[in-house]
Amino acid sequence: MIHSVIERVDRETPTTVTILFPWEKEVRPGQFIMVWIPGVGEIPISLSFTGHTKGITVKSYGPTSTAITKLRAGEKIFFRGPYGNTFRKHDGKALIVGGGSGMAGLLPLITPESHGLVSARTKAELLFADRFSPEKLTTVTDDGSSGIKGFAVEGLKSMDLGEFSMMYVCGPELMLKSVLDYISGDGIDADFSLERHMKCGIGVCDSCSIDGLQLCTQGPVFTKSALLNSREFGRERLSVSGLRVKL
Amino acid sequence: MPSLKTTITGIGLQNPLMLASGILDENGYTMKNILECGAAAVVTKSIGREERTGYRPPIVAEVPDGLLNAVGLSNPGIDNFGNEVGIALQAGKPVIGSIFGGTADDFLYVGKKMEEYGANALELNLSCPHVLGVGSEVGSDPELVEEIIGELKNKIEIPVWAKLSPNVTNILEIANAASKADAFVVINTVRGMAIDIYARRPVLSNAYGGLSGRAIKNVGIRYVYQLYKETGKPIIGVGGIEAYEDAIEYLMAGASALEIGTGVYSKGKGIFSEINSGISSFMESEGIASIKELVGAAVQ
């Protein structure tokens, strides 16, 4: 395991924190690390900060992610990586679409010119919406407490996508599927960063696989065209035991 | 051009390289993908009677020259595995069902189902070293091994391969108990462990694990050689094969076919075609026409 000493912990939303720590390693946007809390567990988390100081933005969910959100500055953080691929570079106008904590992995892509669609259950959980200029931001909430009421795809329907040639999308798989279905016939290209149950992070356990490819080594970023031909994306996955279940 | 074709327990293989159990073999689409990448056959993840979630992560640790793992036999249960075998079989190549259990009855139940699903052979995981009551508890009990294999050979048509553990004092004792098996698969992982010195804890959640990869290749070579020489049984060699030289070494020690697991992690899915091309060049330059000529060539 690699370890580092945490420099700072920032609260982003009521359930989400960013943990910043020094790590001399070149990391590309989209890549992730396996974060280990000794005695509790190990989970994959994408890097939200990829400069000299690295950062992860974590939502309290299960036992391990909850333990990570309780880490404090000065404490050690244990991890291995970086793992996974990166987003394709794009020179044209791009739209960044993040659902829930999915915005974390998209943060390194945001520039002052970026347009964003940020969605969450409620206004307080909108992550990194403040990183976009207000005129370039669309927000969507399940409960309508900010922006458009509904799921992320409702936000897309309210926008003129014709001005964009690329989308970078991260969030729960069913949200990704609804976005893919919506843009399937359009000229707009897209990279989707997927989240699936992952155990090993290094391409051996087969837990995170989709259509024969491993999210951890051949993803987590998949192109629009790869997912359009997928038999498992948005439909089925393997559970922690390996049981095939519907999404 | 030399021929890479080989046969093991009557099953024809396009080349000697199969995917070992426990690596990328839980999802049917992944197994199909591995077969399309050049593996001659795949061995499924070890499947038992009941669904098991296995250990919580970390289940794997990257160590010099290999991997340590303690996955804890996570599997969906045999009743839920037919679909995955069916998908893998779409590649048109053999699929070997790896099975485990605590009793002869368990093995028979799971083995029968595997046969019904279309598996071409059974590989008995007698040697998984990390779960109490199954795994090496079974594989180090000669009477139980004999009973399990006897029962399967009486009631199952497809060939039965016994995967043996190196974690025993006398491997021949277990090999003799497993003598009714059609072939031996040699070796399973070697017991191991890793500690993180900054966390002051074992890395694996189960603490103890199994070591695989290059670190154990010469352990595997030794047991393949010994079992070939002492038993004459067909052998599938596995343990640390990452280059064509390793594959040739195993064949010369007595293996008729080979399995690759950790090599897929260290070299990627292209490892099957890379090693096959290396074996082919070696055979050509050494004037060897068939794999058969290599099997046991170094055994004295």
Side-chain angles (χ1 to χ4, degrees):
Chain A
M1 289 282 174
I2 304 163
H3 73 278
S4 180
V5 175
I6 296 168
E7 275 178 5
R8 214 174 80 211
V9 178
D10 292 338
R11 181 152 292 281
E12 307 288 357
T13 79
T15 58
T16 309
V17 299
T18 293
I19 293 167
L20 295 158
F21 53 91
W23 181 26
E24 288 289 345
K25 183 80 184 179
E26 194 183 323
V27 167
R28 290 165 294 155
Q31 290 193 296
F32 67 94
I33 55 176
M34 296 294 291
V35 182
W36 177 43
I37 299 287
V40 181
E42 187 190 46
I43 54 170
I45 303 177
S46 54
L47 288 147
S48 49
F49 291 83
T50 54
H52 169 71
T53 295
K54 304 295 187 293
I56 51 171
T57 302
V58 187
K59 185 182 170 76
S60 174
Y61 186 71
T64 307
S65 61
T66 300
I68 294 169
T69 62
K70 289 178 179 163
L71 290 170
R72 298 281 172 261
E75 290 184 328
K76 289 191 189 104
I77 181 167
F78 295 92
F79 59 92
R80 53 192 175 93
Y83 298 123
N85 64 358
T86 187
F87 296 99
R88 286 175 293 168
K89 285 206 164 40
H90 185 75
D91 292 330
K93 202 167 175 183
L95 175 66
I96 291 170
V97 181
S101 56
M103 270 309 294
L106 297 168
L107 187 64
L109 298 175
I110 301 176
T111 66
E113 289 73 44
S114 295
H115 289 252
L117 187 155
V118 181
S119 69
R121 292 209 171 112
T122 182
K123 185 180 179 182
E125 292 296 335
L126 286 170
L127 186 61
F128 299 134
D130 59 351
R131 308 302 167 103
F132 296 95
S133 311
E135 72 279 9
K136 292 177 179 163
L137 172 69
T138 303
T139 59
V140 184
T141 50
D142 294 6
D143 63 2
S145 53
S146 171
I148 294 160
K149 186 174 191 294
F151 297 131
V153 73
E154 303 304 325
L156 290 181
K157 287 175 185 167
S158 78
M159 300 171 76
D160 176 14
L161 294 182
E163 60 177 309
F164 301 105
S165 47
M166 182 68 174
M167 278 171 61
Y168 296 105
V169 196
C170 185
E173 193 164 318
L174 286 175
M175 170 215 149
L176 302 187
K177 179 73 163 74
S178 67
V179 171
L180 177 72
D181 288 345
Y182 182 65
I183 62 165
S184 61
D186 293 359
I188 189 168
D189 200 359
D191 273 353
F192 294 83
S193 179
L194 274 61
E195 298 169 0
R196 283 196 156 199
H197 183 77
M198 193 182 284
K199 289 184 187 174
C200 76
I202 53 173
V204 305
C205 79
D206 209 15
S207 288
C208 66
S209 299
I210 182 162
D211 284 89
L213 306 179
Q214 285 62 60
L215 229 73
C216 58
T217 51
Q218 298 178 283
V221 180
F222 292 89
T223 64
K224 176 184 172 182
S225 62
L227 294 180
L228 278 174
N229 297 317
S230 171
R231 291 154 298 195
E232 292 188 285
F233 175 66
R235 297 185 180 93
E236 293 178 344
R237 65 178 177 86
L238 296 191
S239 75
V240 62
S241 70
L243 182 68
R244 186 171 287 278
V245 292
K246 301 273 179 222
L247 272 175
Chain B
M1 273 288 281
S3 168
L4 291 182
K5 284 184 183 162
T6 186
T7 301
I8 185 83
T9 63
I11 299 167
L13 301 174
Q14 287 176 4
N15 65 69
L17 308 179
M18 300 182 274
L19 177 72
S21 181
I23 304 274
L24 296 182
D25 50 7
E26 173 171 284
N27 184 320
Y29 292 112
T30 308
M31 291 187 271
K32 187 165 173 255
N33 178 253
I34 296 277
L35 290 168
E36 287 161 0
C37 284
V42 293
V43 186
T44 70
K45 193 173 182 69
S46 291
I47 304 296
R49 204 162 175 157
E50 309 288 343
E51 183 180 4
R52 283 176 61 94
T53 53
Y55 301 133
R56 66 179 196 278
I59 53 148
V60 66
E62 296 169 90
V63 297
D65 291 326
L67 286 177
L68 264 174
N69 87 83
V71 175
L73 294 171
S74 61
N75 81 100
I78 189 65
D79 293 342
N80 299 309
F81 199 64
N83 193 23
E84 310 308 323
V85 174
I87 295 167
L89 283 168
Q90 288 169 11
K93 291 179 177 179
V95 173
I96 316 303
S98 173
I99 63 172
F100 73 90
T103 63
D105 191 48
D106 286 347
F107 273 93
L108 185 61
Y109 180 84
V110 181
K112 272 270 181 209
K113 285 269 180 179
M114 240 353 150
E115 185 175 45
E116 281 169 33
Y117 295 154
N120 300 78
L122 296 179
E123 182 178 286
L124 312 186
N125 186 350
L126 298 168
S127 42
C128 183
H130 9 92
V131 181
L132 286 177
V134 292
S136 64
E137 297 287 318
V138 171
S140 54
D141 179 344
E143 282 178 24
L144 184 53
V145 168
E146 198 171 346
E147 185 195 343
I148 290 165
I149 294 173
E151 188 78 352
L152 288 170
K153 283 307 296 171
N154 278 339
K155 295 175 181 164
I156 294 220
E157 301 288 319
I158 55 177
V160 173
W161 304 353
K163 188 168 184 179
L164 303 180
S165 168
N167 305 309
V168 291
T169 309
N170 182 4
I171 203 167
L172 276 178
E173 189 188 6
I174 301 299
N176 288 334
S179 63
K180 283 188 187 153
D182 299 284
F184 295 142
V185 182
V186 186
I187 57 175
N188 206 323
T189 56
V190 177
R191 288 176 182 165
M193 183 172 185
I195 287 168
D196 188 286
I197 60 170
Y198 293 97
R200 305 183 193 188
R201 269 185 178 268
V203 176
L204 298 174
S205 73
N206 186 54
Y208 302 139
L211 180 64
S212 61
R214 285 201 91 90
I216 68 163
K217 186 193 87 176
N218 296 92
V219 179
I221 296 286
R222 184 239 187 263
Y223 284 121
V224 168
Y225 187 104
Q226 183 187 13
L227 288 168
Y228 179 83
K229 188 172 169 171
E230 305 282 345
T231 72
K233 185 77 83 180
I235 291 170
I236 296 108
V238 53
I241 299 173
E242 296 196 356
Y244 80 87
E245 294 94 330
D246 305 326
I248 304 276
E249 202 176 339
Y250 265 102
L251 293 168
M252 287 185 172
S256 300
L258 308 166
E259 292 178 4
I260 296 178
T262 304
V264 179
Y265 145 77
S266 53
K267 303 286 180 190
K269 292 178 191 170
I271 189 169
F272 298 99
S273 52
E274 277 166 37
I275 292 186
N276 277 326
S277 124
I279 295 173
S280 186
S281 303
F282 176 85
M283 289 169 70
E284 200 155 8
S285 72
E286 294 288 308
I288 297 159
S290 74
I291 293 290
K292 213 173 174 182
E293 290 176 49
L294 287 167
V295 177
V299 178
Q300 297 171 347

